[in-house]
Amino acid sequence: MPSALVGRIPGTAQAGAQLSAPRIGKNPGQTRLVLDLPAGASYRIVPSGVSLRIELSGVTGGAQGAENISPELRSWRFEPVGGGLQATLVTAARVTERSGWRAQLLPPSGSDRSRLVIDISPAMANLTPLSPARKSWLQCPGSGHAWYGHPGPECQLCPAACGA
C-alpha cells in the first residue's frame, strides 16, 4: 500500500504544542526519521526531486536543522510557516510519490505523542499495482518478455522477435 501523503493525529489540538528535533536512526542503506506529533496535528508529505517537504499544522517551533546526516539523508530543517512548521528532508537520491521513501503513523508509546516515521532509502519502491488507467504493459510475442510501454527499436533483449 502506498504511504499516506496526508494525515491527522487523532484527538484535540494542543495550543502551542512544540515540535522537537526529529529522532534519527541509521542502518545500512536506510535512514529513519521520527517526528513526535501531538494530538490534533496534521501533516502533508510532498515528494519533490531530491527532497521531501512535510507541511505540519497544529505544531510550533523555531528554525533548526542539521546536515550530513547519512548517505541517504543529506540534511533536515524546520522552518516556521503560517499556522505551523515546514520540515524539509534533503535526500541523496530522487524521491517520488511511489519510491525512495515510506511513511507510517504509529500511535503513542511511552508518551502522549504519535510518531510519524519516515524511512528513506533509494531501494524503496511502492510495489502496489497501478490502476488500469495508469498501466500499459506489452508483451513481446517471440520471447514473452513484458515491458511497461514498448521498448522500441533499441530493444536489446529480443530485437528480432519484437519486430520493433
Side-chain angles (χ1 to χ4, degrees):
M1 170 168 280
S3 294
L5 296 174
V6 295
R8 185 177 185 285
I9 312 308
T12 304
Q14 303 170 4
Q18 293 281 318
L19 184 65
S20 59
R23 292 179 286 128
I24 296 176
K26 303 173 192 174
N27 289 300
Q30 176 181 311
T31 298
R32 173 169 282 183
L33 183 131
V34 180
L35 300 175
D36 296 309
L37 300 177
S42 61
Y43 66 89
R44 179 174 173 243
I45 301 173
V46 181
S48 177
V50 291
S51 70
L52 288 173
R53 186 177 74 236
I54 306 160
E55 300 166 354
L56 300 160
S57 63
V59 294
T60 62
Q64 59 179 313
E67 295 184 1
N68 302 316
I69 310 303
S70 71
E72 299 79 30
L73 181 61
R74 296 196 188 278
S75 66
W76 67 267
R77 72 178 177 275
F78 291 164
E79 298 173 54
V81 294
L85 285 176
Q86 178 173 290
T88 303
L89 313 179
V90 178
T91 60
R94 182 169 167 72
V95 292
T96 70
E97 287 186 7
R98 295 179 59 88
S99 66
W101 66 283
R102 70 177 170 219
Q104 56 184 325
L105 185 62
L106 300 176
S109 175
S111 82
D112 64 343
R113 295 197 169 204
S114 294
R115 297 160 291 155
L116 178 58
V117 178
I118 301 171
D119 294 323
I120 300 168
S121 173
M124 287 182 185
N126 179 341
L127 301 177
T128 56
L130 293 172
S131 67
R134 293 192 62 195
K135 65 181 176 179
S136 172
W137 283 98
L138 299 173
Q139 188 168 21
C140 177
S143 68
H145 293 126
W147 291 272
Y148 177 70
H150 196 274
E154 67 281 355
C155 175
Q156 298 299 307
L157 294 176
C158 56
C162 215

